[in-house]
Amino acid sequence: MVCFFPNCMIEIYEPVEGECCPYTGERKDAWRLIDTVPADFQPNKDGSDEQMEYGNILTDSYKIYVHIDTKITDKSRIKLVGRDVTFEVIGFPQEWNRFHMFKKITVQTHRHPVL
């Protein structure tokens, strides 16, 4: 059984239409802070989620558990409060509506902070 024990605070960002670049005319990425919530942040230790690259194991995916009422989508970006690391949601958030009501989100670290 998985239990939800918050061990950090996360900020959830959603994409919004940004300004146009004056040189290319393309829209720039812009992000709006939606919520700051407590979360249970854990490394993903499933063997299927680790990848091998040049003999090194990449362990840049994590599991985050939040309250079931948290508004988060597959397009959300997540940032740990107090750190410059940002994460991208992989797949869709899974809702566990049983004895412990929470959402499970699998995220992957951005190589360069987005926010």
Side-chain angles (χ1 to χ4, degrees), residues 13-20 27-34 75-77 115:
Y13 291 85
E14 288 290 327
V16 294
E17 287 190 21
E19 300 174 358
C20 285
R27 293 257 182 221
K28 295 180 182 179
D29 290 337
W31 301 93
R32 180 172 51 111
L33 178 64
I34 298 296
K75 296 178 183 174
S76 299
R77 297 293 182 261
L115 307 168

Side-chain angles (χ1 to χ4, degrees), residues 76-89:
S76 299
R77 297 293 182 261
I78 295 173
K79 181 178 179 184
L80 290 174
V81 173
R83 295 189 55 203
D84 289 334
V85 181
T86 58
F87 303 91
E88 178 179 3
V89 176

